[in-house]
Every structure is written in structure tokens, then in C-alpha cells.
């Protein structure tokens, strides 16, 4: 194991964060709150448009509580979200996915929000400034700075250009790349691994006057499958709705050449969305006036960290958005990175020890969502469906599972059970069968708001998805409770009582996943 070199100790900053979105602003704030000098570089000028408006409870009641912005988020007037409503699978009737079923997500903690990202991201970036982060907007990161060490190269800073065109070289003991999927710095850590199962394309815009789900479900995200893909329908306010369609990548040329006609045609093919937009008008002016096309490819980097550098958010990984995971994975990864950085800078852990925990937990979270999505897509077995046929043609059960093994359970994780593709295939088959049975059992009579979907939440794949979110949220609500002081992996670390660092577990602590499985080990 190596310690930080002398040059790193003479750095101008303790931490440089590239990217001011939720992942970057979270990492910057949580390291600044530990007393470190932090520089944040954001290439755009806030507020700015960003896709991904639907949040999960762990972000609202977990990360935002740790950041100290929970009250501000609650008072911002965002649309409350109790869960999701799905027109999906063999059941022709919509059914609800309610956060309230989880014991940890009870009471006020059982809701999240649909947010206008321009406003939400501004709150998080302003909070980073408030806790002492030096923020530069319209600042473009050009390259990472590196220095040789006895153990190899180390990232020691960033070369960047400010809004006036002046270039700077700033050094730091750690660099965090939260610059999204188009940033340059992540290339320092290797290549992206793309999932063959989730290579889609999304087209989206905004409408006013769209229909709402009935009663307390009016704020739910609606995900509506049809023969060529699926729609998201996100109520941002009483009047404004984000509407997007995800289809196979073979439709890319048509969507890019004439997005207006393509969106109208796809809406006509999805009866429920057509009904909800019957009296709506598409927004054509302002920040919401443009139809946008985005590649919806799922991927993860070969490595999430290297000496002196960590990747968070879309710079590290991205997963198909049907379960609204983008902001959650970004802010969760930022929390893990901040804990590692804070522990190392405090002299409590070596870099290797701290960032091994970061990598394993982050890949595990990505892995359980990946497993959930494979099962979720697989439960629709209609031969006439172009979209699902294309997915099956990608040979998910062979080549993609082998890639998944390397991606989620490769050398960095050290979990040999993940190197068995046959075991993974068998588990995915069980997961998709359990989901299909649970959802089919709901029936039209069980779609009423507040229905406890015991079978759905009792499936292993849903339990795995909820576990990581519940742990973050419970820690934020309960503080340093000893009930949470158990390692997630054998020989792993646990969060400190304030949630801002890693620490060694008590000698009698047992791995949290010893009985439950890690989600990637079931």
C-alpha cells in the first residue's frame, strides 16, 4: 500500500471536482463539509437544462439530508412523487409501484419529487458554495495533470480554461470527475464497457395541459410500454409534463432527421400516452421548447478510480432510465467518493483501502439496478414486439452476461461468485419470472392508490434494489445508530457516525450481506 506523496501535500487544493451537476456538487459539498479546500469547475452557466427529472427517496431524504438542503428541497414547490405507475408487461392495466411499502420509507420518507432540474441542480450547486466550495462556472476542464510515483502515475490536478479564455493548472490531492458522459477526464481511467442489452435512443420534449393520474398518484412517473419501446410521462407541475420515448437504436436516423414527426407518430402508437396528451400542447419556446434526442446506452467504466482520481455520476456509469436511477446513482457515487477522500485526507485509511470500498459499493449498486432492469424488460414475452425482439436478438444471455460479469464483478470487486455466467443467467431467469408473476397478480382491481404489493416487494431483485437506497436514507434519518455499523462485504468498511468518512468496523460486526446476499451474489 502507498501513502500520498509529498508533492500531493503541497497541492493548491485538497479536492478538485469537475462538473456542477448533482454528482459533482454533492461530492464537492461533502468534502468541503469535512474541512477541505475544494475547487469545482462547471463548463456551463447555471441554471441550465438537464434531462432526468424524476428522483428517488434516497436522494431526497438521504443525500439531501446529509447535504443540509432537505428543507430547501421540500419548500421548493416540486411535484410530490409517491412511486411509479406502469403500463408494462402482460397486464394491460396500469399498476403502481409505491415507496411506502418499504419499512424504512414510511411516513414522509415514502415520497420523492419530480423536479425541474434547472431548479434542483441550482439548489445543490448554491449549497456547495455555501459550505465553502470555490465554484467557477463556464470553466472547461481540458486535461488531467499527472505525476509519476513509485507505484505508477498519479492524477495530481486539472488543466482548465476559465470563462475569459485563460488557461490554468490547478493541483489537488484528489480529482473527482462528475462531468457527465461527454467529459474528457474519465478517459484517464480507461474505456467504457457498453451493455448490449440496453442500446436504445430517447426522444423527449415538454407539454402543457396533459392529463394526470387520479388522486394522490397524480405526481407519479408513468412508464408506458408499447410495441416499439416505452414512454416516460413525468408531471413536473400541475401544467408542465416531460414526455419522452425510448426505442431501439435502429430508429435513430428517423428521430434525428425529423423529431417532430417521429414523436407524433410514436405517440399515436401508444394509446395511453395518446389519451393523456389529447388536450395538451407541446412547449415550443424557452428552455423546454426544443425536442431533444439522446443516446440511451447503458455503460460503465473499466475502473471507477485510480490513484488521485475518482469517477462519479455519468462519468462512471449510466443505466437505462425506466427506474429513474440517474440522479440516485450519481449522488450515491459522490457520497461514496467523498467518504473515501475524507478518510484518506484525515489520515485514517490508506487510499487503496478507502477506494476499494468506493469501487465495490458503487459497482454493487449499479449491478443490482442492472439485474432489475434485465428482469423488468425480460418479463414481456410478446413475439410481435419489435422492441423486445431486438433486445432478445442482442444475445443478452451470453455475450452481454459475460460483459456484465467483468463489469460488475470483475477483478476490482474480488467476488469470485460473479465470474460464473451460468449462475448469473439462472438468477436473472428467476428474477424475471418472479417479477412477471408478481405484476400479473396485481390485476385491474389492485391498481388503486395505496395498495400493498406484497409479491412485488417480496421478490429478490426488488429487495436488492431497495437495500442500498434504504441504507442511505436510514443513516440520514437516524444518524450514527449502531444498527447500521456493519460492513457490506467481508472485510469491508462502514460509514462513520456522521456519514462523511469510512471507518473500520467493530471487531464483532458481521457483513450486512452475509444473510441477505449482496444483490449481485444471489
Amino acid at each position: 500500500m502507498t501513502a500520498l506523496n509529498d508533492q500531493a501535500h503541497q497541492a493548491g487544493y485538497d479536492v478538485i471536482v469537475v462538473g456542477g451537476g448533482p454528482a459533482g456538487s454533492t461530492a464537492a459539498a461533502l468534502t468541503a463539509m469535512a474541512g477541505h479546500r475544494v475547487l469545482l469547475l462547471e463548463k456551463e452557466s447555471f441554471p441550465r437544462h438537464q434531462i432526468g427529472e424524476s428522483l428517488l427517496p434516497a436522494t431526497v431524504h438521504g443525500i439531501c439530508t446529509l447535504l443540509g438542503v432537505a428543507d430547501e428541497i421540500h419548500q421548493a414547490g416540486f411535484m410530490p412523487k409517491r412511486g411509479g405507475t406502469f403500463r408494462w408487461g402482460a397486464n394491460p392495466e396500469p399498476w403502481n409501484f409505491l415507496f411506502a411499502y418499504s419499512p424504512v420509507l414510511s411516513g414522509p420518507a415514502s415520497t420523492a419529487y419530480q423536479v425541474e432540474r434547472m431548479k434542483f441542480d441550482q439548489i445543490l450547486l448554491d449549497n456547495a458554495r455555501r459550505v465553502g466550495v470555490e465554484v467557477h462556472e463556464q470553466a472547461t476542464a481540458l486535461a488531467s495533470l499527472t505525476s509519476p510515483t513509485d507505484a505508477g502515475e498519479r492524477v495530481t490536478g486539472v488543466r482548465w480554461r476559465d470563462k475569459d479564455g485563460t488557461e490554468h493548472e490547478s493541483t489537488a490531492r484528489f480529482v473527482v470527475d462528475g462531468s457527465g458522459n461527454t467529459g474528457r477526464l474519465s478517459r484517464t481511467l480507461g474505456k467504457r464497457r457498453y451493455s448490449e442489452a440496453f442500446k436504445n435512443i430517447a426522444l423527449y420534449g415538454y407539454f402543457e395541459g396533459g392529463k394526470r393520474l387520479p388522486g394522490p398518484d397524480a405526481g407519479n412517473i408513468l412508464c408506458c410500454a408499447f410495441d416499439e419501446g416505452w414512454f416516460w410521462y413525468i408531471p413536473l407541475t400541475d401544467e408542465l409534463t416531460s414526455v419522452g420515448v425510448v426505442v431501439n437504436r435502429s430508429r435513430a436516423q428517423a428521430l434525428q432527421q425529423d423529431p417532430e414527426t417521429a414523436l407524433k407518430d410514436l405517440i399515436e402508437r401508444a394509446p395511453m400516452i395518446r389519451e393523456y396528451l389529447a388536450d395538451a400542447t407541446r412547449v415550443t419556446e424557452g428552455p423546454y421548447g426544443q425536442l431533444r434526442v439522446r443516446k440511451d446506452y447503458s455503460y460503465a467504466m473499466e475502473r471507477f478510480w485510480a490513484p488521485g482520481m475518482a469517477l462519479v455520476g455519468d462519468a462512471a456509469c449510466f443505466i437505462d432510465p425506466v427506474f429513474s436511477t440517474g440522479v440516485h446513482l450519481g449522488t450515491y457515487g459522490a457520497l461514496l467518493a467523498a467518504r473515501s477522500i475524507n478518510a484518506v485526507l484525515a489520515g485514517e485509511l490508506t487510499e487503496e483501502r478507502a477506494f476499494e470500498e468506493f469501487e465495490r459499493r458503487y459497482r454493487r449498486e449499479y449491478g443490482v439496478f442492472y439485474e432489475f432492469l434485465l428482469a423488468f424488460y425480460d418479463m414481456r414475452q410478446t413475439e410481435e414486439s419489435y422492441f423486445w425482439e431486438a433486445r432478445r436478438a442482442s444475445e443478452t444471455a451470453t455475450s452481454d452476461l459475460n460483459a456484465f460479469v467483468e463489469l460488475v464483478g470483475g477483478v476490482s470487486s474480488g467476488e469470485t461468485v460473479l465470474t460464473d455466467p451460468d449462475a448469473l443467467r439462472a438468477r436473472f431467469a428467476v428474477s424475471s419470472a418472479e417479477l412477471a408473476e408478481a405484476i400479473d397478480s396485481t390485476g385491474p382491481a389492485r391498481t388503486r392508490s395505496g395498495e400493498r404489493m406484497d409479491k412485488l416487494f417480496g421478490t429478490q431483485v426488488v429487495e436488492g434494489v431497495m437495500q442500498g437506497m434504504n441504507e442511505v436514507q436510514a443513516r440520514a434519518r437516524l444518524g450514527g445508530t449502531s444498527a447500521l455499523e456493519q460492513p457490506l462485504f467481508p472485510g469491508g468498511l462502514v460509514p462513520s457516525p456522521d456519514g462523511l468518512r469510512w471507518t473500520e468496523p467493530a471487531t464483532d460486526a458481521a457483513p450486512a450481506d452475509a444473510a441477505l446476499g449482496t444483490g449481485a451474489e444471489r
Side-chain angles (χ1 to χ4, degrees):
M1 293 186 179
T2 60
L4 294 177
N5 59 31
D6 291 338
Q7 182 177 357
H9 283 283
Q10 303 301 316
Y13 296 91
D14 294 310
V15 183
I16 296 175
V17 177
V18 180
S25 59
T26 295
L30 293 177
T31 49
M33 289 164 62
H36 305 304
R37 188 180 179 205
V38 183
L39 170 67
L40 186 149
L41 307 173
E42 166 53 46
K43 68 178 180 180
E44 297 188 45
S45 180
F46 277 40
R48 54 87 175 98
H49 169 269
Q50 184 59 271
I51 191 173
E53 306 95 344
S54 193
L55 303 185
L56 297 180
T59 302
V60 175
H61 305 286
I63 302 295
C64 289
T65 297
L66 290 172
L67 290 171
V69 297
D71 289 344
E72 190 173 357
I73 296 295
H74 298 327
Q75 295 165 10
F78 295 132
M79 176 70 74
K81 168 188 172 183
R82 303 173 65 251
T85 298
F86 293 86
R87 162 58 189 93
W88 200 277
N91 189 343
E93 298 294 329
W95 50 274
N96 289 335
F97 185 102
L98 303 174
F99 298 127
Y101 181 77
S102 169
V104 180
L105 304 181
S106 59
S110 66
T111 61
Y113 292 106
Q114 314 288 10
V115 300
E116 294 180 72
R117 283 287 300 277
M118 288 188 295
K119 298 178 181 178
F120 177 77
D121 291 10
Q122 185 76 65
I123 290 173
L124 296 191
L125 187 62
D126 287 345
N127 178 68
R129 287 190 179 95
R130 189 162 50 244
V131 299
V133 176
E134 180 184 333
V135 176
H136 290 262
E137 297 183 50
Q138 300 179 57
T140 303
L142 302 174
S144 57
L145 305 178
T146 59
S147 296
T149 69
D150 292 341
E153 277 202 338
R154 177 179 186 83
V155 175
T156 56
V158 176
R159 181 165 59 87
W160 58 284
R161 182 186 300 115
D162 66 23
K163 63 180 180 180
D164 299 320
T166 303
E167 290 193 9
H168 306 264
E169 288 193 352
S170 297
T171 57
R173 298 170 74 181
F174 286 100
V175 173
V176 177
D177 183 8
S179 60
N181 65 350
T182 60
R184 305 179 183 185
L185 301 191
S186 62
R187 303 170 191 171
T188 306
L189 271 67
K191 299 179 180 179
R192 285 180 184 170
R193 296 283 185 87
Y194 286 93
S195 166
E196 291 298 326
F198 299 110
K199 281 192 174 181
N200 306 319
I201 191 165
L203 168 64
Y204 70 101
Y206 297 82
F207 290 77
E208 290 182 337
K211 183 179 176 180
R212 294 287 178 260
L213 291 161
D217 296 327
N220 282 11
I221 182 175
L222 170 63
C223 295
C224 181
F226 69 115
D227 283 348
E228 294 197 45
W230 65 274
F231 272 91
W232 74 70
Y233 189 93
I234 303 174
L236 297 175
T237 68
D238 289 340
E239 286 295 318
L240 183 66
T241 307
S242 169
V243 179
V245 62
V246 177
V247 294
N248 187 268
R249 58 182 169 173
S250 61
R251 295 292 302 267
Q253 184 174 359
L255 267 60
Q256 292 169 334
Q257 286 182 344
D258 190 353
E260 192 80 48
T261 299
L263 183 59
K264 288 180 180 178
D265 175 64
L266 291 166
I267 288 171
E268 284 299 311
R269 295 168 183 257
M272 190 172 183
I273 300 300
R274 183 176 67 235
E275 174 194 346
Y276 272 55
L277 292 177
D279 298 320
T281 303
R282 190 176 76 79
V283 178
T284 56
E285 297 180 353
Y288 298 132
Q290 178 184 348
L291 290 179
R292 293 175 168 91
V293 177
R294 177 173 172 174
K295 286 183 180 179
D296 188 29
Y297 290 12
S298 297
Y299 60 83
M301 291 293 294
E302 290 178 313
R303 295 185 294 167
F304 287 175
W305 80 281
M309 186 175 185
L311 307 181
V312 296
D314 288 358
C317 56
F318 177 80
I319 195 78
D320 182 281
V322 71
F323 200 57
S324 308
T325 54
V327 173
H328 166 67
L329 282 174
T331 56
Y332 179 72
L335 169 63
L336 300 180
R339 286 173 175 170
S340 299
I341 291 170
N342 291 339
V344 175
L345 293 182
E348 297 170 351
L349 295 170
T350 65
E351 185 174 12
E352 290 87 347
R353 179 83 168 119
F355 278 92
E356 179 186 55
E357 189 74 21
F358 160 78
E359 177 101 16
R360 294 182 73 183
R361 287 194 183 229
Y362 204 179
R363 286 194 182 277
R364 178 197 177 279
E365 194 75 355
Y366 181 92
V368 294
F369 278 109
Y370 189 101
E371 180 181 346
F372 171 80
L373 286 162
L374 280 177
F376 201 62
Y377 275 107
D378 187 56
M379 72 181 185
R380 180 182 170 107
Q381 299 293 341
T382 54
E383 293 299 324
E384 71 276 9
S385 169
Y386 161 80
F387 186 68
W388 273 262
E389 274 297 301
R391 186 171 312 288
R392 284 203 294 276
S394 69
E395 298 183 355
T396 300
T398 53
S399 62
D400 187 58
L401 274 178
N402 288 330
F404 173 61
V405 168
E406 298 175 6
L407 181 71
V408 179
V411 176
S412 62
S413 74
E415 295 170 63
T416 56
V417 68
L418 293 177
T419 61
D420 183 357
D422 291 332
L424 283 172
R425 273 195 291 275
R427 195 174 68 245
F428 290 154
V430 171
S431 297
S432 59
E434 282 186 339
L435 273 180
E437 179 184 359
I439 290 167
D440 287 344
S441 71
T442 62
R446 291 189 55 139
T447 60
R448 291 188 295 272
S449 175
E451 183 65 50
R452 292 172 65 88
M453 301 183 67
D454 300 76
K455 286 191 175 181
L456 179 66
F457 282 86
T459 61
Q460 287 188 339
V461 68
V462 174
E463 286 180 349
V465 164
M466 300 298 288
Q467 183 181 346
M469 295 191 295
N470 288 355
E471 192 261 345
V472 172
Q473 191 161 332
R475 173 162 294 281
R477 292 174 62 197
L478 304 176
T481 174
S482 60
L484 297 175
E485 303 302 321
Q486 298 181 13
L488 188 61
F489 304 101
L493 301 170
V494 297
S496 60
D498 63 3
L500 296 182
R501 304 182 315 283
W502 297 121
T503 187
E504 296 289 353
T507 55
D508 58 347
D513 282 335
L516 296 176
T518 65
E521 292 179 342
R522 282 189 299 272

